[in-house]
Amino acid sequence: MAYNLLKGKKGIIFGALDENSIAWKTAQHCHAEGAEIVLTNAPIALRMGTINKLAEEINALVIPADVTSADDIANLFEKTKEHFGGGVDFILHSIGMSINVRKGIPYPENNYEFTHKGLDISAISLHRVLQIAMKQDAINEWGSVVALTYIAGQRVFPSYNDMADGKAMLESIARNFGYFYGVQKKVRINTVSQSPTRTTAGSGVKGFDGFISYAEKMSPLGNATADQCADYCVSLFSDLTKMVTMQNLFHDGGFSFTGVSEAIIEQMEK
């Protein structure tokens, strides 16, 4: 059921790769709520994924952009403003990558060149996007920015590796930039800490099935799905949450505040 929560709003969605990605679902839900969308991803991701299918479905423009390139991000905002005839009302940052994870290098033995690349893509990219958006005045007053994160930014999940460092940095950037963008133009910036979700990126983490099973047993409401996360993002892009900013918002069925569940105790006592 749609409520026209985003009627008349325009936004940019970073990171829609395929139908399994939260960014993909969020773009669909934003469109259903009346928003106009620009989709963007790295050129290589555009070749690997099926984003043109999504673009056709929601009548969106696709603009390639490497988030490690200031020139690419500047071009993205310039073309988006031309397309919409002005700034955007919301941005979703749904980007994360760890070469150390992909290559199976354990955290204590991380290759620092890989780490630097991963931090640039997964976290510093948010700062780059916001910095350039601010310089170009690309986000409208009372706009909303959401970046997707995971509780590994606060707790240890050994196989999550240096992605945990990336998420911790991402959340810090959202808080700090949230202050400056709020003062300058009432733009709000939040992170959403989602349940482990079966996306193309998430499935690359060692022991991911165990992550999901454990979180399901630990969460009073169970794991939040990608579609439910998309709905939550819609609410954060809407005018219903105009005074929420600089927060790390847990969207995880209660996992983040459950010490131990009866289901886990019962499993351990078998």
Side-chain angles (χ1 to χ4, degrees):
M1 181 184 293
Y3 303 93
N4 281 325
L5 290 176
L6 303 181
K7 185 177 181 181
K9 292 190 181 294
K10 300 169 176 62
I12 300 174
I13 303 286
F14 285 82
L17 179 65
D18 56 35
E19 293 176 344
N20 294 318
S21 65
I22 294 173
W24 186 291
K25 302 287 188 183
T26 303
Q28 290 176 318
H29 288 224
C30 289
H31 173 71
E33 292 293 343
E36 295 178 62
I37 308 291
V38 163
L39 298 170
T40 185
N41 213 328
I44 187 171
L46 295 182
R47 292 194 297 270
M48 292 170 55
T50 53
I51 197 171
N52 288 330
K53 175 184 174 183
L54 174 62
E56 184 177 347
E57 176 189 330
I58 66 172
N59 192 31
L61 177 67
V62 178
I63 303 174
D66 177 351
V67 291
T68 68
S69 166
D71 288 342
D72 275 20
I73 298 302
N75 178 66
L76 168 67
F77 282 124
E78 288 165 6
K79 288 188 174 177
T80 297
K81 287 197 293 182
E82 288 176 11
H83 176 65
F84 287 141
V88 298
D89 303 294
F90 64 88
I91 293 174
L92 177 71
H93 179 285
S94 180
I95 306 163
M97 188 276 293
S98 168
I99 303 173
N100 284 305
V101 168
R102 289 182 180 178
K103 292 186 175 293
I105 301 171
Y107 186 82
E109 300 171 23
N110 274 181
N111 176 304
Y112 296 131
E113 289 186 14
F114 296 163
T115 299
H116 292 160
K117 183 70 172 176
L119 291 176
D120 197 11
I121 292 172
S122 306
I124 298 171
S125 62
L126 177 62
H127 193 287
R128 187 176 292 111
V129 165
L130 294 171
Q131 181 187 84
I132 296 169
M134 184 179 277
K135 287 179 179 178
Q136 292 196 16
D137 194 23
I139 304 177
N140 297 328
E141 191 173 42
W142 294 108
S144 175
V145 179
V146 171
L148 297 184
T149 186
Y150 183 57
I151 196 173
Q154 293 86 38
R155 298 186 189 175
V156 176
F157 293 83
S159 297
Y160 207 69
N161 209 310
D162 60 342
M163 275 300 301
D165 299 331
K167 293 305 186 186
M169 180 183 285
L170 180 78
E171 292 163 19
S172 179
I173 290 169
R175 282 190 297 271
N176 282 288
F177 232 118
Y179 169 80
F180 290 102
Y181 228 143
V183 168
Q184 185 187 87
K185 204 171 183 183
K186 306 300 183 187
V187 171
R188 57 200 193 271
I189 303 171
N190 297 287
T191 52
V192 169
S193 187
Q194 165 70 357
S195 297
T197 310
R198 292 189 187 280
T199 62
T200 301
S203 299
V205 177
K206 182 181 178 183
F208 189 71
D209 288 342
F211 267 34
I212 288 186
S213 178
Y214 173 73
E216 182 72 30
K217 288 182 170 64
M218 275 285 288
S219 308
L221 301 181
N223 288 332
T225 66
D227 276 302
Q228 289 168 332
C229 186
D231 282 337
Y232 193 42
C233 290
V234 166
S235 74
L236 292 170
F237 295 148
S238 79
D239 291 339
L240 299 178
T241 53
K242 289 177 79 167
M243 299 305 290
V244 180
T245 193
M246 301 162 63
Q247 303 299 307
N248 182 41
L249 302 163
F250 291 100
H251 186 255
D252 59 9
F255 175 88
S256 48
F257 286 91
T258 302
V260 68
S261 67
E262 292 180 352
I264 293 295
I265 292 173
E266 290 172 2
Q267 184 174 328
M268 297 301 292
E269 290 182 339
K270 287 181 181 178

